[in-house]
Amino acid sequence: MDRDAMQHSARRWRRIAMLSAVAAVVGCDSGTATDTGDDTPAALQCSIPQGQIFTGAAGKDAIPALTNPPTTGAEGPGIDYLLADDRVMGLQVGDETLAVPLNILWWHEIVNLEIGGLALALTHCPLTGSSLVFDRAAVSGAEFGVSGLLYRNNLMMYDRTTGESLWPQMSRGARCGPRDGTDLRMYPVMEMTWEGWQMLHPDTKVISEQTGFDRDYQDYPYGSYDNPQNASLLFPGTIDGRRPPKERALGIPIGQGGLAFPFGVLDELGPIAAVNITATGLPTVVFWNRDRQGAMAYRTRVGLEDLTFSVQDSQLVDDQSGSTWT
């Protein structure tokens, strides 16, 4: 049995053992709306319904955000926790590439990072499965922390400044406090398997397990919560019945709505796929790769020309010139 198979087996048994513990933690959470207390949105002005804001089982900073954690090479020390099919957020800034494994973000949810002259916040909410990267310029480069509050089951960040505000991750901006209405500029990130990211960027850096915190980064701490067919939510919410409730999807935000590309639908198109669409009035393509379990959206206006794409001989090709793209 190879290393990945052995670790998969060990993880499976640890998950089974953890299920009752997770249920106990969730069961201890009252799940009441945060309508009292000086450190809750009740003390702040909010532009979102406060009745949809709930306290999580952990309080403020009980889930510790990281700041510039140690990194290593893809073959370096401190990455034994990673398997080939574990998912990572892949970031490229100039010539620098970095993988931030979801294994790390399950336990920390936010990584404040300085890279390539940018101050970024890499964020992942395990309850909504959403991975987003933000430029911290809107808060003058201040760090973000985990507030312990959830809006529609989604992570609410807070900024570590005087007169801090609350920032629901998927709202992409402040919705409570003095910065209410301030939006965060998003920075592009790709989520795919660790093996897939290494194939694209063999010289990538990756976050080491030496974070300074005693966590088992091999284990997903929420039991079977992320099973695609699992319809449970920790707090009240609406389940859209058109697709499996926890199916992964690529989302393109458009105003208060957006376009969702479920991985199951993309996979039906083949091992590699290109979907040409118009989003916010601009030509766009969504690329899908089954082996890497990843999808990404790109604007396709090059100069004065709008490109469209198709798959030919297992390659992504633009229909205008026949050039091959990756």
Side-chain angles (χ1 to χ4, degrees):
M1 184 180 291
D2 63 23
R3 169 183 169 271
D4 279 7
M6 292 174 65
Q7 287 192 249
H8 271 300
S9 178
R11 283 189 189 182
R12 181 170 63 252
W13 286 109
R14 278 195 293 267
R15 279 196 178 198
I16 292 170
M18 288 176 65
L19 289 180
S20 59
V22 172
V25 170
V26 173
C28 290
D29 194 321
S30 64
T32 56
T34 55
D35 54 5
T36 59
D38 293 339
D39 60 346
T40 69
L44 298 174
Q45 177 100 20
C46 293
S47 58
I48 55 177
Q50 285 185 252
Q52 296 183 30
I53 300 175
F54 291 83
T55 53
K60 183 179 180 180
D61 288 326
I63 296 175
L66 299 178
T67 298
N68 294 320
T71 63
T72 185
E75 301 297 329
I79 61 168
D80 285 345
Y81 70 96
L82 265 177
L83 301 180
D85 60 355
D86 283 339
R87 299 188 68 77
V88 302
M89 293 173 66
L91 187 68
Q92 183 168 11
V93 181
D95 294 330
E96 297 184 64
T97 54
L98 176 67
V100 181
L102 297 197
N103 307 53
I104 296 288
L105 290 160
W106 295 332
W107 296 94
H108 298 284
E109 301 194 4
I110 300 172
V111 174
N112 296 289
L113 193 68
E114 279 79 41
I115 182 172
L118 297 177
L120 302 177
L122 289 84
T123 70
H124 175 77
C125 177
L127 300 186
T128 49
S130 46
S131 300
L132 299 171
V133 176
F134 301 108
D135 190 326
R136 290 186 274 137
V139 289
S140 301
E143 296 177 6
F144 283 99
V146 180
S147 71
L149 303 171
L150 298 164
Y151 174 61
R152 296 181 176 176
N153 285 277
N154 182 230
L155 160 71
M156 293 190 80
M157 310 181 294
Y158 77 93
D159 58 89
R160 292 176 173 152
T161 65
T162 302
E164 64 193 33
S165 299
L166 294 172
W167 309 70
Q169 183 215 31
M170 293 184 73
S171 296
R172 310 186 309 284
R175 298 299 179 259
C176 293
R179 290 182 175 80
D180 189 349
T182 302
D183 291 327
L184 289 170
R185 177 178 172 268
M186 295 174 62
Y187 194 87
V189 64
M190 304 179 79
E191 188 186 303
M192 64 177 66
T193 64
W194 168 228
E195 182 179 50
W197 181 253
Q198 286 184 89
M199 289 174 63
L200 290 172
H201 301 287
D203 296 328
T204 188
K205 296 293 187 181
V206 58
I207 291 182
S208 162
E209 63 184 346
Q210 304 302 323
T211 62
F213 293 90
D214 184 16
R215 301 290 189 274
D216 187 347
Y217 294 119
Q218 290 189 10
D219 281 326
Y220 174 74
Y222 295 91
S224 61
Y225 185 87
D226 65 347
N227 185 302
Q229 301 299 331
N230 187 339
S232 65
L233 299 173
L234 293 194
F235 298 98
T238 301
I239 295 290
D240 187 328
R242 289 176 290 178
R243 300 293 304 175
K246 302 286 176 62
E247 181 181 22
R248 292 190 189 280
L250 173 72
I252 300 177
I254 300 174
Q256 296 302 307
L259 294 172
F261 294 82
F263 279 18
V265 173
L266 292 171
D267 195 60
E268 291 172 359
L269 301 177
I272 298 174
V275 181
N276 299 287
I277 59 170
T278 299
T280 61
L282 293 173
T284 303
V285 66
V286 171
F287 291 148
W288 159 255
N289 186 295
R290 179 186 293 163
D291 287 342
R292 296 176 183 141
Q293 283 295 294
M296 190 60 174
Y298 298 90
R299 301 296 188 196
T300 60
R301 182 163 293 168
V302 179
L304 300 177
E305 189 173 25
D306 295 345
L307 302 183
T308 57
F309 289 82
S310 56
V311 177
Q312 299 178 23
D313 298 324
S314 300
Q315 300 288 329
L316 295 165
V317 176
D318 74 74
D319 301 320
Q320 285 65 38
S321 72
S323 300
T324 299
W325 298 66
T326 61

